[in-house]
Amino acid sequence: MSTERIYRLLLRAYPPDFRAEYGREMVLLFRDQCRESDVRTVGFWAAVIWDVARSAPALRAEAWRTPGRKNTRTMGVIMKLAAMLTVLVGVFGILNAMVEWGAGLTGTMGGMHALALVLGVCASALLLAAGAAILRATGRGRQAARLALVASLVLIVAARLLHPWMSPFSQLVGIGLPAAFLIALYWPRRATPSGAV
């Protein structure tokens, strides 16, 4: 294996963006160093490895702490897709509760069952509102989404405790989706100049 190929493998320790910008110059500098020094000595390779070991982790950590525009755009797209999913789940939840209500009217429906259905409709409406608020992508929209998600989570748990009419899948979606969104909305992010989510 040639010395340049070994050095190119060592360059993999650097972040991809850094390699794309400075990799060519680093290889050219390494070629110059190879011409000026004896590449068969341990001291040469110790200096090269020490330089990579000293600088690459710091650059990796910096790249991890301050995500680039590509990562910010990706997170914004994910949040928008998840918000649209929340809107659809909210609409589906309202329709499902209405169908359940209609089916319950043909038979005997107790007061707890009716109250659980009303709470389910309200929880679905709050999910719908949270999805719409997240799509607005403003500070007030995020705050409104947080409140709607917490209220939806409380209502769906109360409906489940009052009357166990929900399927396990409905419980997972009704509890898991708001909880996951709350985690995503409270996850710390650095402010970006582009104003993306």
Side-chain angles (χ1 to χ4, degrees):
M1 184 178 276
S2 72
T3 56
E4 189 173 318
R5 286 190 66 179
I6 293 170
Y7 186 69
R8 286 181 186 272
L9 285 174
L10 289 172
L11 288 180
R12 294 268 193 198
Y14 291 99
D17 292 341
F18 182 83
R19 283 195 319 261
E21 190 169 343
Y22 299 108
R24 187 177 187 287
E25 289 83 6
M26 292 175 78
V27 170
L28 292 174
L29 180 63
F30 179 74
R31 284 181 192 163
D32 291 343
Q33 289 175 341
C34 288
R35 277 188 233 118
E36 295 171 2
S37 302
D38 186 10
V39 295
R40 296 175 296 206
T41 63
V42 173
F44 174 80
W45 285 105
V48 169
I49 291 172
W50 172 251
D51 182 49
V52 172
R54 182 177 47 87
S55 58
L59 289 168
R60 284 270 181 186
E62 181 64 27
W64 182 74
R65 279 193 307 260
T66 56
R69 292 178 66 137
K70 179 180 170 186
N71 293 340
T72 303
R73 280 192 211 127
T74 302
M75 184 54 129
V77 168
I78 289 171
M79 288 297 284
K80 285 179 182 173
L81 289 174
M84 287 187 269
L85 175 68
T86 303
V87 168
L88 290 174
V89 167
V91 169
F92 176 73
I94 291 170
L95 293 174
N96 186 38
M98 293 299 161
V99 168
E100 182 75 24
W101 183 273
L105 289 177
T106 59
T108 59
M109 182 166 58
M112 288 297 178
H113 188 199
L115 182 57
L117 284 173
V118 169
L119 290 176
V121 169
C122 291
S124 296
L126 286 167
L127 274 179
L128 181 70
I134 292 169
L135 286 172
R136 284 186 44 209
T138 62
R140 294 187 96 169
R142 289 171 60 102
Q143 185 61 29
R146 288 182 185 127
L147 292 173
L149 287 168
V150 168
S152 173
L153 193 56
V154 168
L155 288 178
I156 207 74
V157 169
R160 172 66 176 104
L161 292 174
L162 284 173
H163 188 73
W165 59 273
M166 286 184 274
S167 69
F169 179 74
S170 296
Q171 292 175 47
L172 179 68
V173 169
I175 295 170
L177 187 67
F181 249 117
L182 282 170
I183 291 169
L185 287 172
Y186 279 109
W187 196 265
R189 274 192 222 82
R190 293 194 184 274
T192 59
S194 63
V197 176

